[in-house]
Amino acid sequence: IAAGSGYFQHGHTYLAHPVACAAALATVNEIESRGLLAQVQSRGDYLRRALDERLGTHPNVGDIRGRGLFVGIELVADRQTKAPLPVGQRTHAKIRQAAMRAGLLVYPMGGTIDGERGDHVLIAPPYIIEQAQIDELVERLDTALQAVLPRAVSA
């Protein structure tokens, strides 16, 4: 931490308070009773395929990885070498702004290699997302990437 950004970013959900624990239990019960985990798995597979198809050959996408509906897109200067983008460009922040203009919220982060270098964006749509909405999400994310990191050649 001292050699990197100097801060420890973290978060806690439901922090063991009885009311928060009751909310957590109600959430788990709702996930189970509505079969949402199976939906997250199938829609997550669909999301990954859609992202791979649309962004998988983008020269600045180093990797697309995740689980279920929680997916990260690694942004790089060179797809083959995975060299990071220049720190001063703050590409992750520019992608966030472009995504917001396109009507999409993403979770951007920089410094993921060593506290300074490395850009990515995370997407985490709701468990109840429909396939048509996934298509829209991927379209909007592609629009944001094109605004900040246009492809050198058509994909």
Side-chain angles (χ1 to χ4, degrees):
I1 293 171
S5 65
Y7 69 95
F8 178 62
Q9 184 173 355
H10 67 305
H12 297 282
T13 304
Y14 299 126
L15 204 55
H17 186 279
V19 173
C21 289
L25 181 59
T27 300
V28 170
N29 288 338
E30 191 70 12
I31 289 169
E32 288 178 349
S33 70
R34 293 178 62 187
L36 293 179
L37 183 56
Q39 180 165 301
V40 165
Q41 292 169 333
S42 68
R43 299 279 161 79
D45 291 343
Y46 183 83
L47 174 61
R48 286 291 302 279
R49 284 191 307 272
L51 287 168
D52 286 340
E53 182 178 303
R54 190 70 173 259
L55 304 175
T57 60
H58 191 289
N60 298 110
V61 173
D63 195 14
I64 301 170
R65 60 185 176 268
R67 187 170 186 179
L69 290 169
F70 190 69
V71 180
I73 296 96
E74 178 186 21
L75 305 168
V76 296
D78 181 271
R79 165 178 194 75
Q80 299 305 316
T81 66
K82 305 290 193 265
L85 290 156
V87 174
Q89 288 183 358
R90 297 188 40 79
T91 302
H92 64 283
K94 291 177 183 176
I95 298 287
R96 179 189 59 82
Q97 292 168 345
M100 286 185 74
R101 284 191 301 272
L104 177 66
L105 295 176
V106 297
Y107 180 79
M109 192 66 188
T112 52
I113 294 173
D114 59 8
E116 293 182 22
R117 298 176 304 132
D119 292 271
H120 75 260
V121 293
L122 298 174
I123 53 175
Y127 287 10
I128 58 171
I129 193 168
E130 299 291 334
Q131 285 189 2
Q133 293 169 317
I134 291 172
D135 294 337
E136 185 177 349
L137 179 157
V138 172
E139 173 71 29
R140 291 178 183 202
L141 182 58
D142 188 33
T143 297
L145 284 175
Q146 292 303 328
V148 178
L149 298 166
R151 285 180 173 90
V153 294
S154 180

